Amino acid sequence: MVFKVIGDSHPGSHYLGYVKYHPDLKGDRRLFGQTYRQNSVVSKSFGILADRPECYVYSDTLGCVITGIPREDVAVHYSCRKALVAIHEEPAAVADSQTGKDLLAIAEWITANGAQGLLGVTGSFLVGCFNERSDIDLVCYGPDGYRAAQELFQQTDLVRPYGGDDLTRLYIRRAKYMEGSSFDALIKQERRKLQGLTTVAGAHINCEPIRSDHDKTFARISSKEIGEISLLAKITDHAEGLTTPAVYGIKVRTILNSTIDEPDSFARRITHVRSYLGAYTGAFRSGDTVHLSGKLVHTQDGDRSGFGIELTPWAVSSSYVAALAG
């Protein structure tokens, strides 16, 4: 199986993450000489790994049981940076694909502009199971990588922004994960991200900003799950929300629903929302009102402690969402 690694804080025994590609005769990908299926729903990893209990592990950082791969079982560690360099140096591997041609043009721009090592490619082009329906999934690292990615997405001969009828396509793409979001609010949220369409194949392309290698923001954090909660909140600080893992400062306005007793007693003490997946990275700005539905957790960071909302969807019974409320 191919795992997508989550976050940068891992126990000594496992690398935390979820199953991205797994053997399945009903799949449409080819890997290691057999048919594989792509998984885009994080919580489905529990079912895929039902006969591998050693892949269930408690994360002190997240405060719950998630999936991961025992370190001794890792056969290959894919490097997003190295994969993009390899594609540029050996273009034949992707040149027969229309989307691959777009990726080659992007890799050439990255090299010509001295940004190698600041960006990488993930997803199907990373592991070599792309097909005609594949997107281009990029990642960028640290502030310098973010600036390079911003410049890349301004090159309209390589990436065109979503507009016109394509906005409906983008809405449908995201709304299945964020049910209840209005068209205008969801598009406003999505326009803040690094994404668009490639100029040759018209494929979706996005770039997820990752924290720099030396960023230790989450190194000492531990969490304890308390329950689930839904609320309206105002974003008070988005400075740490522009990269994955993303953290936004919040001030609770209204508690809507909760599995815990007397949730209003927590309201003024809930100070942040956090996501280890890229879906909400860069999506919000200070002053926004957002609808949040996730886990209520108590977090400890050295001598500091507080309550927050965890959006990383390690649950099979609920969908965790964050959406602009207006």
Side-chain angles (χ1 to χ4, degrees):
M1 297 183 185
V2 177
F3 281 73
K4 182 173 181 178
V5 177
I6 296 295
D8 53 7
S9 299
H10 305 273
S13 59
H14 289 70
Y15 290 109
L16 306 179
Y18 70 97
V19 176
K20 186 67 177 177
Y21 301 100
H22 60 102
D24 190 321
L25 293 177
K26 296 180 180 179
D28 64 350
R29 307 299 173 111
R30 294 293 293 177
L31 269 173
F32 315 120
Q34 58 181 310
T35 302
Y36 272 66
R37 188 170 188 168
Q38 179 182 5
N39 172 43
S40 58
V41 181
V42 173
S43 58
K44 283 186 178 180
S45 203
F46 288 107
I48 296 170
L49 296 167
D51 60 347
R52 293 285 305 273
E54 70 275 17
C55 291
Y56 292 10
V57 58
Y58 180 82
S59 168
D60 190 56
T61 301
L62 292 172
C64 64
V65 172
I66 76 169
T67 57
I69 183 73
R71 293 191 180 222
E72 63 269 21
D73 289 348
V74 175
V76 176
H77 186 161
Y78 294 94
S79 167
C80 301
R81 291 177 171 110
K82 291 180 180 178
L84 190 57
V85 171
I87 286 171
H88 179 256
E89 293 179 347
E90 299 179 21
V94 302
D96 291 338
S97 161
Q98 287 292 93
T99 306
K101 293 176 182 176
D102 285 319
L103 180 56
L104 286 173
I106 288 165
E108 178 60 34
W109 183 93
I110 290 170
T111 302
N113 287 271
Q116 275 194 341
L118 296 177
L119 290 97
V121 65
T122 185
S124 57
F125 281 98
L126 169 63
V127 300
C129 65
F130 56 89
N131 60 24
E132 66 277 4
R133 292 185 297 279
S134 290
D135 303 328
I136 295 178
D137 300 300
L138 302 177
V139 288
C140 58
Y141 301 90
D144 290 341
Y146 188 72
R147 285 189 287 270
Q150 284 182 309
E151 186 175 350
L152 168 62
F153 276 75
Q154 291 172 1
Q155 308 304 308
T156 54
D157 57 329
L158 298 173
V159 181
R160 57 184 174 89
Y162 274 97
D165 293 341
D166 289 327
L167 289 174
T168 301
R169 172 181 167 187
L170 178 61
Y171 177 77
I172 293 171
R173 181 186 189 91
R174 300 304 188 198
K176 58 185 176 181
Y177 302 112
M178 303 180 198
E179 293 182 12
S181 294
S182 71
F183 180 88
D184 289 341
L186 184 55
I187 293 302
K188 180 180 179 181
Q189 183 173 323
E190 290 298 311
R191 282 187 183 276
R192 292 168 170 170
K193 301 179 184 179
L194 295 168
Q195 59 185 345
L197 296 167
T198 62
T199 53
V200 175
H204 176 79
I205 177 172
N206 65 88
C207 183
E208 180 181 354
I210 305 294
R211 291 175 181 269
S212 60
D213 295 340
H214 60 270
D215 189 325
K216 302 300 180 184
T217 301
F218 295 91
R220 301 187 304 169
I221 289 181
S222 62
S223 302
K224 297 294 182 183
E225 181 178 350
I226 298 172
E228 295 184 339
I229 194 165
S230 178
L231 53 82
L232 291 177
K234 179 180 179 180
I235 301 293
T236 59
D237 184 1
H238 68 263
E240 293 290 335
L242 300 178
T243 51
T244 305
V247 179
Y248 297 93
I250 62 171
K251 182 178 181 180
V252 175
R253 287 186 167 175
T254 306
I255 303 287
L256 301 175
N257 193 23
S258 180
T259 61
I260 59 177
D261 294 331
E262 300 182 6
D264 288 330
S265 63
F266 286 92
R268 64 180 180 82
R269 303 179 67 190
I270 299 173
T271 60
H272 61 278
V273 60
R274 178 179 69 177
S275 175
Y276 277 80
L277 296 183
Y280 303 114
T281 299
F284 307 118
R285 298 292 184 271
S286 297
D288 287 343
T289 297
V290 294
H291 173 216
L292 302 172
S293 183
K295 287 185 298 185
L296 176 64
V297 294
H298 180 263
T299 58
Q300 188 81 34
D301 182 4
D303 295 331
R304 298 182 299 170
S305 66
F307 293 94
I309 309 298
E310 176 61 63
L311 294 174
T312 311
W314 294 107
V316 295
S317 60
S318 304
S319 295
Y320 297 157
V321 296
L324 283 174

